[in-house]
Amino acid sequence: MSVTYIIGFTVRQGQEARFLSLLNGVLDAMRVEETYINATLHRDPERPGRYLLHETWADHDDVVNVQLARPYRAEWHAALPELLEGEREISVWEPLRSDSARNF
């Protein structure tokens, strides 16, 4: 069964460009992973520096035991304490339905 991760970030002022550069590199790299389904990055229009990442993968165990250890994630993970105001907010969900009219 697939699994979705909802991850909230509050980025330190002045770190937005680096945050997006590193995260975009991770998102581009994970797109070719066999168990990857999709991801959407959102920005809060009311709160600068607040982002929400919605990722869906085919297998939770693969994410925890394989994907999180991929070399392309190392620089991203190492930079998080400098980039973020606090810890990421991570929740795990089981998708029930997905609808899409078009790609954005």
Side-chain angles (χ1 to χ4, degrees):
M1 175 179 282
S2 63
V3 61
T4 297
Y5 304 90
I6 307 296
I7 309 164
F9 307 91
T10 302
V11 178
R12 294 181 194 274
Q13 187 173 355
Q15 292 293 325
E16 293 89 354
R18 184 171 177 224
F19 168 84
L20 289 171
S21 176
L22 289 170
L23 181 54
N24 282 329
V26 170
L27 294 172
D28 289 343
M30 70 188 204
R31 184 181 306 131
V32 299
E33 298 292 352
E34 187 176 325
T35 60
Y36 171 81
I37 296 175
N38 62 38
T40 305
L41 179 62
H42 308 267
R43 181 177 49 210
D44 185 337
E46 303 288 323
R47 295 174 53 202
R50 182 81 176 125
Y51 295 85
L52 182 74
L53 179 61
H54 174 271
E55 289 181 38
T56 302
W57 292 80
D59 183 84
H60 177 72
D61 288 336
D62 178 70
V63 170
V64 172
N65 296 313
V66 177
Q67 300 305 327
L68 292 178
R70 293 283 191 211
Y72 61 77
R73 292 179 181 265
E75 184 179 5
W76 160 252
H77 285 144
L80 288 176
E82 298 170 9
L83 298 173
L84 304 181
E85 289 185 5
E87 294 293 320
R88 294 172 288 175
E89 301 164 22
I90 303 172
S91 59
V92 180
W93 296 78
E94 293 179 354
L96 297 178
R97 179 177 167 162
S98 178
D99 297 297
S100 180
R102 61 180 176 204
N103 289 327
F104 293 91

